[in-house]
Amino acid sequence: VLCQRLLRKLCRCAERVEDAMEINLRGTAFTFTNYRQARGCEDCGGTGYAGRVPAAEILPLENEEVVHALLNRRSTATIQRLALRHGMVSLPENVAALITEGITSPLEAKRVLG
């Protein structure tokens, strides 16, 4: 099972910011203290972004407990809790890693994930 979103990639003109920024991505709060933000240049048409990068949440169906929860139509919260316990990386965590790596910005993450 796959959930995917495309986020805009920061252009090479993006600047590093060291101020703290806290954002809430689908109910999970993240604080970033060293991230990049869009600036804009001729190459990116002044947007600060060039290209896209996928962020995904993949639910592997290898664990029996997760499969049984799905087949028995357990609640979404129960299935998500089980999946996270068995190694699934959530979409907000994946997006937070892209911000930390300087690939996208917190504002882009907030725009896409709300």
Side-chain angles (χ1 to χ4, degrees):
V1 179
L2 172 73
C3 175
Q4 175 181 294
R5 298 289 181 270
L6 290 175
L7 290 92
R8 295 179 296 172
K9 284 175 60 174
L10 286 165
C11 177
R12 62 180 175 78
C13 69
E15 56 191 13
R16 182 102 12 222
V17 176
E18 294 187 19
D19 295 336
M21 175 184 265
E22 185 174 314
I23 60 172
N24 190 327
L25 301 174
R26 292 195 173 174
T28 305
F30 294 93
T31 302
F32 300 99
T33 54
N34 189 9
Y35 58 92
R36 293 173 64 210
Q37 71 179 6
R39 190 180 74 190
C41 68
E42 194 174 293
D43 290 342
C44 62
T47 65
Y49 296 95
R52 303 236 178 215
V53 62
E57 176 177 88
I58 300 170
L59 173 59
L61 300 177
E62 299 168 344
N63 182 277
E64 274 188 47
E65 192 175 11
V66 174
V67 172
H68 286 292
L70 285 166
L71 292 175
N72 293 323
R73 297 179 181 258
R74 303 291 298 236
S75 71
T76 302
T78 300
I79 293 168
Q80 185 171 18
R81 189 180 71 252
L82 288 171
L84 290 170
R85 186 170 14 143
H86 292 289
M88 182 181 82
V89 177
S90 71
L91 186 60
E93 290 170 339
N94 190 298
V95 170
L98 292 172
I99 295 168
T100 301
E101 294 170 18
I103 296 171
T104 195
S105 69
L107 294 177
E108 174 65 0
K110 186 73 174 165
R111 184 187 74 79
V112 173
L113 295 184

